[in-house]
Amino acid sequence: MKEANILKSYELAKERYAAIGVDTDKAIAELEKQQISLHCWQTDDVSGFENDGSLTGGIQATGNYPGRARNIDEVRKDLEFVKTLLAGNHRVNLHEIYGDFGGKFVDRDQVGVEHFQSWIDWAKANNFKLDFNSTSFSHPKSGDLSLSNPDKSIRDFWIEHTIRCRKIADAMGKAQNDPCIMNIWVHDGQKDYTVNRKKYREILAESLDTILKEDMPGMKSCVEAKLFGIGLESYTVGSMDFFEGYCATRKVIYTLDTGHYEPTENVADKVSSLLLYVPELMLHVSRPVRWDSDHVTIMNDMTLDFFKELVRADGLNRAHVGLDYFDASINRIGAYIIGTRATQKCILSALLEPLAKLRELEAAGKGFQKLALLEEAKTLPFGAVFDYFNYKNGVPVGEEFIPAIEQYEKDVTSKR
Ligand code: RNT
Ligand code: ZN
């Protein structure tokens, strides 16, 4: 895109937004500060480096587009390239199975900081901050129940794993001088009618209490609620109700994955209630298509509404934004960029809402005027602001990232 056109369009857009009381420079500055945690598992379809076993735990990556990252160097190379196409400084979200195990098998109850030292060094060298996840899936002991398993030996194995993961996250946070956000998602559930529903939930709460007992200043823990997993359709131990109650009473961060609710449920409306009772939110921005399919995030109504609600609830600074999808059917790097940029678009769109005016109108009972302004805001020159944001940060504007990714595919991923 021509530089002069980007600048001219932005000047006009800025003026147009100013007329309804919105400062576009301020919105851009806020968006620049907003880190997005890039989920490492988009590079390799949630495989990791522990072994060649299949993906279990009720999640599935569909498709076999060529070029997935096969080892730690390829994952890092892909992430370094992704970074060149994104405005802002971002984070990398690692799962335990992405440890640097040096070709040896390291079981989950044996993992330690040493297996992530090279990640800590790499992150520092590449100006990334790290986030972390314990991994309860894709393991012989995963079964249907991990932390909620009545069998003490299995439960203790997963408790040990998760405590070790917290220590790794703590070390990451201390090394980067910024808390590492560690997510705990367990797939625990049942395929068919479950009668001891309360029992497993009691056990899960107890296990989590044990895991979270020690305060670790370098990290923050969060727990992820879910509707159901494949093969675990009838019962999910860590349901939304379970984790809402847990997070509210224990003051733990609630992980809200936008794919983890009934397809017709309004995910955006959860934000303002959760923020009243839980300390912070961790977001897994995803796109469910009929189910928790983890399609690539796009700028759709759900994602737009979601970020608008966050901004309207003054909650953006209480939310850690991360992505969670894994589409193996298209170019994986392209999927990253589409999803991250879509998330940035939705955040920007929320920041550009004429909120002060809308609030004023609502308070004055001016329903028609409020609806009219909401409608008109939809066709304001948003694109010119987003283009300028990317231009200002020296990354491709508009569709210009497409050839860059094609080139990387030609040079790198197609040769894998
Ligand atoms: C699964 C959860 C979870 C995983 C990742 C890999 O439904 O969303 O967050 O996607 O941990
Ligand atoms: Zn998730």
Side-chain angles (χ1 to χ4, degrees), residues 183 224 255 257 260 284 324:
N183 186 47
E224 182 172 2
T255 302
D257 182 313
H260 286 191
H284 278 188
D324 186 11

Side-chain angles (χ1 to χ4, degrees), residues 159-197:
I159 291 176
E160 176 66 24
H161 166 72
T162 319
I163 292 177
R164 281 170 174 262
C165 285
R166 285 194 71 216
K167 289 185 179 152
I168 295 167
D170 188 46
M172 287 174 172
K174 284 174 179 155
Q176 67 197 16
N177 233 329
D178 187 66
C180 168
I181 312 301
M182 187 187 120
N183 186 47
I184 303 173
W185 166 64
V186 292
H187 56 280
D188 295 31
Q190 299 271 291
K191 182 181 174 74
D192 221 324
Y193 273 98
T194 308
V195 292
N196 285 325
R197 298 172 90 95

Side-chain angles (χ1 to χ4, degrees), residues 330-374:
I330 58 173
N331 181 302
R332 292 172 185 78
I333 311 294
Y336 253 132
I337 305 301
I338 293 170
T340 314
R341 284 171 69 118
T343 303
Q344 289 180 316
K345 286 179 196 167
C346 291
I347 297 172
L348 181 62
S349 169
L351 292 169
L352 290 175
E353 206 174 44
L355 196 51
K357 204 153 228 148
L358 288 166
R359 281 182 174 146
E360 211 179 281
L361 293 170
E362 184 167 293
K366 296 190 171 174
F368 142 68
Q369 291 87 338
K370 180 179 70 175
L371 190 58
L373 189 54
L374 279 167

Side-chain angles (χ1 to χ4, degrees), residues 94 96 101 108 110-117 120 130 132 161-174 180 182 216 218-219:
L94 294 175
E96 186 270 350
F101 302 122
R108 310 255 174 114
Q110 299 299 320
V111 68
V113 181
E114 63 275 20
H115 304 117
F116 287 88
Q117 191 54 50
I120 294 173
L130 295 175
F132 199 49
H161 166 72
T162 319
I163 292 177
R164 281 170 174 262
C165 285
R166 285 194 71 216
K167 289 185 179 152
I168 295 167
D170 188 46
M172 287 174 172
K174 284 174 179 155
C180 168
M182 187 187 120
M216 300 192 194
M219 58 89 66

Side-chain angles (χ1 to χ4, degrees), residues 6 10 36 48 72 74 132 145 149 201 205-206 243 246 252 275 287 289 296 333 341 363 381 398 415:
I6 298 170
Y10 180 64
I36 297 179
I72 208 161
E74 291 179 352
F132 199 49
L145 302 172
N149 205 310
R201 290 191 168 128
E206 232 179 78
F243 276 125
Y246 189 85
V252 170
L275 283 174
R287 177 165 56 106
V289 175
V296 180
I333 311 294
R341 284 171 69 118
K415 298 196 173 133

Side-chain angles (χ1 to χ4, degrees), residues 158-394:
W158 291 112
I159 291 176
E160 176 66 24
H161 166 72
T162 319
I163 292 177
R164 281 170 174 262
C165 285
R166 285 194 71 216
K167 289 185 179 152
I168 295 167
D170 188 46
M172 287 174 172
K174 284 174 179 155
Q176 67 197 16
N177 233 329
D178 187 66
C180 168
I181 312 301
M182 187 187 120
N183 186 47
I184 303 173
W185 166 64
V186 292
H187 56 280
D188 295 31
Q190 299 271 291
K191 182 181 174 74
D192 221 324
Y193 273 98
T194 308
V195 292
N196 285 325
R197 298 172 90 95
K198 181 155 175 266
K199 176 175 169 175
Y200 308 125
R201 290 191 168 128
E202 263 164 10
I203 299 175
L204 179 58
E206 232 179 78
S207 296
L208 289 170
D209 285 348
T210 307
I211 290 163
L212 300 175
K213 208 174 334 166
E214 196 188 326
D215 198 35
M216 300 192 194
M219 58 89 66
K220 293 183 181 185
S221 308
C222 45
V223 286
E224 182 172 2
K226 181 161 174 167
L227 185 62
F228 80 98
I230 306 170
L232 304 164
E233 291 87 352
S234 299
Y235 170 67
T236 301
V237 187
S239 60
M240 170 156 197
D241 316 67
F242 174 86
F243 276 125
E244 265 180 349
Y246 189 85
C247 291
T249 51
R250 270 64 163 190
K251 299 295 167 221
V252 170
I253 302 177
Y254 181 93
T255 302
L256 194 160
D257 182 313
T258 55
H260 286 191
Y261 301 88
E262 298 284 359
T264 54
E265 220 170 328
N266 181 359
V267 182
D269 192 37
K270 302 185 182 309
V271 170
S272 51
S273 298
L274 284 166
L275 283 174
L276 283 180
Y277 302 109
V278 305
E280 290 176 352
L281 295 176
M282 170 72 211
L283 309 182
H284 278 188
V285 186
S286 190
R287 177 165 56 106
V289 175
R290 299 191 188 277
W291 66 287
D292 181 27
S293 60
D294 287 297
H295 278 66
V296 180
T297 296
I298 56 169
M299 182 184 184
N300 57 6
D301 285 346
M302 181 203 71
T303 320
L304 276 167
D305 288 347
F306 186 76
F307 282 103
K308 279 185 186 154
E309 269 309 302
L310 253 184
V311 170
R312 291 170 186 170
D314 298 318
L316 201 52
N317 59 358
R318 287 175 60 199
H320 305 276
V321 182
L323 307 173
D324 186 11
Y325 52 80
F326 24 98
D327 189 339
S329 74
I330 58 173
N331 181 302
R332 292 172 185 78
I333 311 294
Y336 253 132
I337 305 301
I338 293 170
T340 314
R341 284 171 69 118
T343 303
Q344 289 180 316
K345 286 179 196 167
C346 291
I347 297 172
L348 181 62
S349 169
L351 292 169
L352 290 175
E353 206 174 44
L355 196 51
K357 204 153 228 148
L358 288 166
R359 281 182 174 146
E360 211 179 281
L361 293 170
E362 184 167 293
K366 296 190 171 174
F368 142 68
Q369 291 87 338
K370 180 179 70 175
L371 190 58
L373 189 54
L374 279 167
E375 275 304 289
E376 290 311 307
K378 289 179 183 169
T379 49
L380 289 176
F382 163 82
V385 183
F386 190 65
D387 285 346
Y388 176 70
F389 161 72
N390 286 308
Y391 163 82
K392 180 170 176 276
N393 284 280

